[in-house]
Amino acid sequence: MMNLTAGQKLYAALEIDTRRVPLDRLDAYNAIAYFLTVEDEPPEKAKNLEKVDRYLQAFHHLCEMSEWQKAGKVLSCRPMSKELHEQLRIWGYYREQIELYQNLLGKVSAEQDLVCLNGLGRAFYNLSDFDKSCNYYQQQLKLARQANNLQAEAQAISGLGGIQRIKQDYSEAIASFQQQLDIAREIGDRKQEGYALNDLGYAFYALGTTQNKKKYQQKGLNFLEESLEIAREIGDQEMESSCLNDISRAYLNVGQYDQVLIALLRQLDISEESNNRLGSASALEGLSQCYVMLKQIDKALKYAQEALAVMCEIGNKHNEISALNCLGVIYCYKLRRYQEALSYFEKALELMQKFDAKGNMAIITVHIFACHFLLKNKDESDFYLNMAQSLVAKSDSLEDKGLVTMAIANAYWGRNEFWYKVWGIVLVIKGLIMMPPWRSANGRLAMEVTIKQIFGLAN
């Protein structure tokens, strides 16, 4: 029997009989037959979207004829290792995903709607539109409970927990991920269990970092390691990649840079093998941060620039902010090119304000203060230091408070009066207590910068 292509298999599954279709639809059905059964396979070096263009063309023709169930089959076909809509996510085509889901939503069945709602929530999350993402996840949660679909309910709860985590509502995020974990274990879903443990681990570790509580950090690390075991046990490389990324952040904070590199290089290999654009960019950004701490600035700069290029291309604004911050840190504190650093920090702050992403805004404003302070722009440095103080007054993060305290210390040290310099040293000690350098990469970097400032090594 002749081997069928993926397109030919899909066409057979669609059960289209062109002899029985209305005449006014014949051209559309013939086009579908051509795309799926006749058109040559794309060349090996074709762009990602070109590799699945025939399926997208078939989908849109079916939607134009209101053949919703058949369009749903196209959505879930597997031209590669993953279903079409998931393959688009892996490649970073979030807007194309959204178009597919919105076309089908409310047209086929409750089960299909659950897939579309989850996909829309995730796609808008990846585009950093957290309000729309939250809306779709809430719709999915309501429908999943009505349909008594525990798997979809756990997915929706996970999505809502991710938004809580991105907004640094760690206690609420932990409650959501624990609920997801309970449901996953109840229905025996190992994949959901692994992702729930990963998310719990990240949230607990972040909570421990912001509150300077080692027990939370250790609990988070334990969850992450348990998740990594499950990912490897079930052979889910995307989950393994996510776990490695989060574990590497923990290693980075405690200065175990060899472990950071092992984790991130493995993540990069996995992501590049599957062409997971977001996974690759996250690994590149992490490598940049590690090489900053290792004082290998050429490598740090290269990886940060590569990460930023991918984030801009796929439209992930949250991670674009992180990459901009990383580049700003390199230009400000390592290359001492303060004007160039400002352009990165200011772009990051602009995106934060546009997307109402309050997380880490205090850190960005501290960096902008540092640039203006080192450029001797007194009015601008005073403005951003006051802004940073205002932001941390509303924050529970000891790490943020510690960074702002260290910034104030630098400002005091820059004055000529003796007592300001004494008070600056007191504030340095206070900042280091809030943000111990042995437990935080930010703490070590802040201590390094402050020591250079105090002892006149920055000039």
Side-chain angles (χ1 to χ4, degrees), residues 254-289:
V254 295
Q256 296 182 25
Y257 303 126
D258 55 339
Q259 294 299 317
V260 175
L261 294 177
I262 290 170
L264 289 177
L265 290 172
R266 169 61 180 160
Q267 182 196 0
L268 189 60
D269 284 344
I270 293 172
S271 299
E272 290 187 341
E273 184 180 340
S274 62
N275 208 352
N276 185 325
R277 307 299 306 288
L278 181 57
S280 294
S282 296
L284 290 168
E285 185 198 334
L287 286 167
S288 177
Q289 292 176 357

Side-chain angles (χ1 to χ4, degrees), residues 350-388:
E350 178 188 336
L351 287 174
M352 282 186 156
Q353 292 169 333
K354 181 177 179 180
F355 289 91
D356 195 26
K358 295 184 174 62
N360 296 329
M361 193 179 288
I363 294 175
I364 296 292
T365 53
V366 164
H367 291 324
I368 295 176
F369 151 77
C371 290
H372 283 300
F373 180 78
L374 292 164
L375 287 167
K376 303 189 186 309
N377 299 332
K378 186 177 185 308
D379 290 344
E380 290 87 350
S381 63
D382 287 349
F383 173 83
Y384 283 103
L385 185 57
N386 289 334
M387 183 177 175

Side-chain angles (χ1 to χ4, degrees), residues 259-415:
Q259 294 299 317
V260 175
L261 294 177
I262 290 170
L264 289 177
L265 290 172
R266 169 61 180 160
Q267 182 196 0
L268 189 60
D269 284 344
I270 293 172
S271 299
E272 290 187 341
E273 184 180 340
S274 62
N275 208 352
N276 185 325
R277 307 299 306 288
L278 181 57
S280 294
S282 296
L284 290 168
E285 185 198 334
L287 286 167
S288 177
Q289 292 176 357
C290 185
Y291 283 119
V292 166
M293 303 309 295
L294 289 169
K295 297 181 173 58
Q296 296 183 36
I297 305 308
D298 288 345
K299 285 185 178 181
L301 187 59
K302 172 180 176 290
Y303 286 127
Q305 289 170 335
E306 289 178 9
L308 179 61
V310 176
M311 293 307 180
C312 291
E313 184 181 337
I314 66 177
N316 188 308
K317 298 301 180 184
H318 176 74
N319 283 17
E320 182 182 340
I321 290 167
S322 297
L324 287 166
N325 179 62
C326 194
L327 281 164
V329 166
I330 294 168
Y331 276 101
C332 180
Y333 303 112
K334 299 301 179 179
L335 299 177
R336 300 174 193 166
R337 289 156 61 176
Y338 308 122
Q339 201 63 51
E340 290 171 80
L342 262 179
S343 66
Y344 289 112
F345 290 136
E346 287 173 347
K347 177 63 174 175
L349 183 61
E350 178 188 336
L351 287 174
M352 282 186 156
Q353 292 169 333
K354 181 177 179 180
F355 289 91
D356 195 26
K358 295 184 174 62
N360 296 329
M361 193 179 288
I363 294 175
I364 296 292
T365 53
V366 164
H367 291 324
I368 295 176
F369 151 77
C371 290
H372 283 300
F373 180 78
L374 292 164
L375 287 167
K376 303 189 186 309
N377 299 332
K378 186 177 185 308
D379 290 344
E380 290 87 350
S381 63
D382 287 349
F383 173 83
Y384 283 103
L385 185 57
N386 289 334
M387 183 177 175
Q389 289 177 274
S390 177
L391 287 166
V392 295
K394 305 169 187 175
S395 171
D396 295 327
S397 171
L398 281 177
E399 182 164 16
D400 288 2
K401 292 179 186 294
L403 281 171
V404 174
T405 301
M406 300 279 270
I408 297 170
N410 284 335
Y412 281 162
W413 188 260
R415 299 186 182 186

Side-chain angles (χ1 to χ4, degrees), residues 1 31 57 83 119-120 142 172 179 209 211 322 355 372 397 410 430:
M1 183 178 177
Q57 294 283 359
E83 294 184 354
L120 285 163
K142 181 179 179 180
E172 291 183 25
Q179 192 177 355
T209 301
Q211 296 188 0
S322 297
F355 289 91
H372 283 300
S397 171
N410 284 335
K430 182 180 178 182

